[in-house]
Amino acid sequence: MKKFLLVMPAVLSFALTACTGTEVTSSPDKKPANSGSHSTSAKSHAAPAGIGDTITLKSNEDDLKLEVTVVKAISSAKPKDDFNVPEQGRRFAAVQIRLKNVGSTTYDDSPGNGAKLIDGQDQQYDEAMSDIAQGPSIGSSVKLAPGGSRKGYLVFAVPKKAKIAKFQFALDSGFGPQAGEGLLK
């Protein structure tokens, strides 16, 4: 009975921690007043993030925060060589992102693990870990000291008829407490 009473709080704590969900945000960070945007309409504040917008995400580590910016989206990317090709009936789509560590601890993760490409039918795709001719990938392992940044492509194999619509990213290999989601228009 004593063992049960000692173990039960730990089990309950783990179960409650495992059941907490991930917050998905599509709200871009507020731009500084001198960013050149003079619009103050409610509609512009309610608009979801898109290409060029930054979303700051938190990690499960208290002191780790990353600014995630979608720089470019390519709906039909060219393979880098003849060996790196998608399966028949699929094409490569790519999203170029910029990661900036704005926390006080080192980011050490594989960005592709927390990345999802979502099409117009709300189907999602995992990173294909391929290279494209349009530019370098962000890499399978990224280490960023506080203040450091990295830019590169994440590549996805999608059906040829799919229309890419959104990009979603989370820290901690996809298990972070927040996920950022933006439109690719």
Side-chain angles (χ1 to χ4, degrees):
M1 183 68 166
K2 283 184 181 179
K3 284 184 183 178
F4 176 77
L5 292 175
L6 291 173
V7 173
M8 195 56 174
V11 170
L12 285 173
S13 175
F14 177 76
L16 291 173
T17 302
C19 292
T20 59
T22 298
E23 171 194 349
V24 177
T25 180
S26 63
S27 298
D29 294 351
K30 293 179 181 169
K31 295 181 180 170
N34 62 358
S35 69
S37 175
H38 298 289
S39 173
T40 57
S41 72
K43 185 177 179 184
S44 67
H45 293 294
I51 295 172
D53 289 328
T54 298
I55 297 177
T56 300
L57 299 175
K58 297 176 190 171
S59 169
N60 286 314
E61 296 178 46
D62 288 337
D63 299 330
L64 180 59
K65 291 193 298 186
L66 232 60
E67 289 181 352
V68 180
T69 307
V70 172
V71 177
K72 184 187 287 187
I74 302 171
S75 68
S76 189
K78 296 176 186 169
K80 184 176 182 177
D81 53 46
D82 293 337
F83 304 103
N84 241 347
V85 295
E87 294 176 9
Q88 188 169 355
R90 294 189 170 265
R91 71 177 194 279
F92 283 148
V95 177
Q96 186 181 47
I97 61 170
R98 179 182 305 109
L99 304 176
K100 182 175 182 184
N101 186 344
V102 293
S104 59
T105 190
T106 299
Y107 169 78
D108 184 0
D109 202 353
S110 176
N113 289 346
K116 304 287 184 197
L117 189 67
I118 303 165
D119 70 15
Q121 300 296 314
D122 290 329
Q123 297 175 93
Q124 70 180 24
Y125 305 94
D126 294 323
E127 187 203 15
M129 289 183 48
S130 294
D131 292 318
I132 57 170
Q134 285 87 345
S137 76
I138 196 157
S140 61
S141 177
V142 174
K143 293 173 179 51
L144 292 175
S149 66
R150 194 79 78 247
K151 182 170 88 169
Y153 283 98
L154 291 164
V155 180
F156 303 84
V158 300
K160 286 186 176 181
K161 294 185 179 186
K163 294 183 181 184
I164 63 170
K166 296 182 262 185
F167 175 72
Q168 190 177 84
F169 188 82
L171 302 182
D172 304 326
S173 286
F175 294 100
Q178 294 180 309
E181 184 173 284
L183 300 176
L184 298 177
K185 294 181 184 180

